[in-house]
Amino acid sequence: MRLGVITGVHEDVVRLKQAFELLRQNGCDAIACLGDIVGYSVAYYGFEKFRDAHQAVELVKQHCRYVVAGNHDLYAVRKISTRQKVFEYPSNWYALERSARQELSQGRVWLYEDELAALLTPEDEAYLRRLPEFLPVTIDGLGIMLSHYAYPDLSGDSVSFNPALLDNLAQHLRFMSDHGCRLSFSGHDGRNGVAIYTGAERREAGFGIHALPQHQPVWIQIPWVANGTYDNGVLVLDTTHRQIEAIPLNTPPHVVPSGRNAKDL
């Protein structure tokens, strides 16, 4: 089977349509979306005039067999993540003034100060609310974990959590194993291609074809679809040949305006 995998749409329907066409041309049998379907910040993306949260949701619903929520999706519908252990949200989190949320969070989680409101229908909001924050699936005998980020921050709430650190990576690899998965895909962090992590290896692999490690669990971060500050693209998993291919969409990366911090959202 050939599984297409996308993430980081951020309401960029132009690149999303290109991504689906590219995956169709590459013979994908099914597509998975790893979240951040919506969520737009003026400083970090370059397509404000044609961003469309509703159409992005509709296209994902139409084309994707597997979908999980990202941190921006949860924020858009004011849903508190239940699959993270980096911050204990009070139940009235979104009823609090921003200053109160800043004081409580102490810079540990995103507050989305620059986020434009996602223009969604009630049906769109209900769909985003129903999305799981992780999804283990089995394809051709291969257990695959789909999530926006890595355990214990599966939705990507934390400002500073770094899953590539050895101890943090070990937590995610154990989480995969506990759910019968040898392979895991995530998005969230911007990547120029893919990053590949195992217990013995952590490397930026870029675009192109990469063989999967045969005898150990592997976690893979994939590129965004949106025209953001990194090279955008899609990923194709070939379960028959046990390999992945990161394919660029070749959109020139957006340049953050002078004076703004280019740190990922």
Side-chain angles (χ1 to χ4, degrees), residues 3-259:
L3 176 70
V5 190
I6 63 171
T7 194
V9 177
H10 291 288
E11 308 178 25
D12 189 344
V13 293
V14 171
R15 258 60 69 163
L16 181 58
K17 291 176 182 177
Q18 293 173 354
F20 287 140
E21 175 59 20
L22 186 57
L23 294 175
R24 185 194 67 78
Q25 292 173 4
N26 278 270
C28 289
D29 304 290
I31 300 174
C33 176
L34 306 181
D36 279 0
I37 303 167
V38 302
Y40 186 92
S41 172
V42 174
Y44 301 97
Y45 306 103
F47 48 91
E48 182 179 0
K49 290 183 179 179
F50 56 84
R51 73 182 183 102
D52 191 325
H54 167 66
Q55 189 177 9
V57 171
E58 284 295 307
L59 287 167
V60 167
K61 287 167 64 176
Q62 178 183 348
H63 291 281
C64 296
R65 181 180 301 179
Y66 310 109
V67 186
V68 296
N71 57 310
H72 289 270
D73 303 318
L74 297 179
Y75 174 73
V77 296
R78 303 303 190 265
K79 180 180 178 182
I80 294 173
S81 169
T82 61
R83 306 303 308 190
Q84 58 82 32
K85 298 181 182 298
V86 297
F87 177 68
E88 186 174 349
Y89 289 96
S91 60
N92 65 338
W93 176 249
Y94 285 113
L96 299 173
E97 296 290 335
R98 175 160 291 174
S99 59
R101 283 184 274 145
Q102 288 176 326
E103 183 175 354
L104 283 171
S105 65
Q106 294 294 302
R108 284 174 286 177
V109 294
W110 300 113
L111 297 179
Y112 307 95
E113 291 95 336
D114 297 322
E115 193 101 321
L116 299 184
L119 304 180
L120 299 165
T121 68
E123 292 77 14
D124 297 334
E125 293 185 1
Y127 174 76
L128 293 178
R129 283 186 174 276
R130 290 195 302 269
L131 292 178
E133 292 177 50
F134 74 98
L135 184 64
V137 299
T138 301
I139 300 174
D140 292 341
L142 179 62
I144 303 170
M145 176 65 66
L146 304 174
S147 59
H148 185 64
Y149 208 28
Y151 184 86
D153 186 20
L154 291 168
S155 60
D157 283 1
S158 172
V159 169
S160 59
F161 177 69
N162 182 358
L165 296 178
L166 190 59
D167 288 346
N168 293 339
L169 176 59
Q171 290 188 76
H172 185 66
L173 296 178
R174 284 196 299 272
F175 181 78
M176 291 166 52
S177 178
D178 289 345
H179 288 83
C181 298
R182 193 179 65 80
L183 178 61
S184 174
F185 291 114
S186 301
H188 192 60
D189 292 330
R191 296 295 179 192
N192 295 317
V194 296
I196 298 175
Y197 304 93
T198 69
E201 175 188 41
R202 298 181 294 280
R203 66 185 176 95
E204 299 281 346
F207 289 97
I209 297 174
H210 309 283
L212 294 174
Q214 294 298 306
H215 303 295
Q216 54 186 323
V218 56
W219 173 51
I220 297 170
Q221 284 191 287
I222 74 170
W224 295 341
V225 164
N227 177 207
T229 53
Y230 292 86
D231 294 329
N232 59 349
V234 301
L235 181 132
V236 176
L237 165 67
D238 186 329
T239 60
T240 301
H241 297 96
R242 293 297 198 265
Q243 66 183 25
I244 57 171
E245 181 176 6
I247 307 172
L249 284 166
N250 293 317
T251 310
H254 175 64
V255 178
V256 175
S258 177

